[in-house]
Amino acid sequence: MAPGLTGIVGGRPRVSPVLKPFFFLYPKSKLQVHIHMDGELVETLQEDDLFLLETPPPREAEKNSNELQDLPCGPCRYRLEELAYTRSGDKGDSANIGVIARHPLFYPYLKKLLTAGAVEGYFQHLLWRDSDSEAPAVTRFELPGIFGLNFVLRSSLGGGGVASLRSDPQGKAFGQMLLDYQIKGLPDLKSLVD
């Protein structure tokens, strides 16, 4: 059988398209929301009634308060896996990585050392920076109630979903990748927990 032919009778393989969604912005002033119940129009909402943000809220600088700056240092080095759990996924072309401390005592150290800049440096080979955009490539959100951090990595999935040609188009492995991140200069945290 000649190269490029499949099966005994199958012939040549078929071409399969790579689908890519096209995203665009639509002016909020032209948007109307119609609410129907039982087939009847109940309400129409205009721009003033909609709770939509035109621009994202301004990014707050990551603050290292006095309590974080006064944390003791030491000679120990840990992989993030020893201090936290992670979970990751996608939303369009952005990946989301949740990090939750394995013990409440670990959280201040994670908050101090696992910054948006550190995560951006670790994933720089996967991030695509748009020169026109001033939005940060990585944004960190703090979840102190569960001793967690949430990172959003914009433009990190090569288009995301069906538009991506990457082996992990939904970013499901990003959390596993981050678990290998080395955190240095810590005291013996394991002895604090035992």
Side-chain angles (χ1 to χ4, degrees):
M1 191 135 257
L5 300 179
T6 60
I8 296 175
V9 225
R12 293 189 181 274
R14 295 183 185 158
V15 175
S16 62
V18 174
L19 303 175
K20 183 167 183 154
F22 175 71
F23 300 102
F24 62 94
L25 296 175
Y26 189 76
K28 187 170 77 167
S29 60
K30 295 184 180 180
L31 183 68
Q32 287 187 339
V33 176
H34 301 287
I35 300 174
H36 295 267
M37 291 183 72
D38 296 324
E40 293 183 30
L41 178 65
V42 176
E43 188 175 2
T44 299
L45 301 175
Q46 298 285 40
E47 177 183 7
D48 298 336
D49 304 323
L50 300 176
F51 298 101
L52 300 174
L53 295 174
E54 284 191 11
T55 58
R59 179 180 181 193
E60 291 183 21
E62 294 177 87
K63 302 172 203 146
N64 284 339
S65 63
N66 290 335
E67 67 183 45
L68 294 180
Q69 292 175 356
D70 294 339
L71 287 173
C73 298
C76 296
R77 165 193 310 222
Y78 293 99
R79 287 177 60 224
L80 183 60
E81 179 180 29
E82 299 174 84
L83 305 176
Y85 304 101
T86 62
R87 177 99 182 177
S88 58
D90 72 310
K91 195 51 103 177
D93 192 25
S94 296
N96 177 346
I97 304 173
V99 178
I100 300 176
R102 289 182 181 266
H103 193 279
L105 291 174
F106 300 162
Y107 181 64
Y109 292 97
L110 294 177
K111 202 162 122 177
K112 178 180 179 182
L113 300 170
L114 196 61
T115 63
V119 172
E120 183 174 347
Y122 193 71
F123 285 102
Q124 67 184 350
H125 62 289
L126 295 173
L127 298 171
W128 183 77
R129 293 289 299 195
D130 184 7
S131 59
D132 298 336
S133 175
E134 294 181 19
V138 177
T139 306
R140 182 179 88 166
F141 300 93
E142 296 178 7
L143 306 164
I146 60 169
F147 307 108
L149 301 169
N150 187 39
F151 296 92
V152 176
L153 290 71
R154 287 179 183 74
S155 300
S156 60
L157 298 173
V162 296
S164 179
L165 296 177
R166 294 189 181 171
S167 58
D168 183 20
Q170 281 92 28
K172 300 293 184 189
F174 281 26
Q176 286 298 120
M177 291 166 61
L178 189 59
L179 285 176
D180 205 33
Y181 181 74
Q182 296 278 330
I183 300 178
K184 304 171 188 171
L186 299 175
D188 185 8
L189 294 176
K190 296 290 185 167
S191 66
L192 296 174
V193 176
D194 294 338

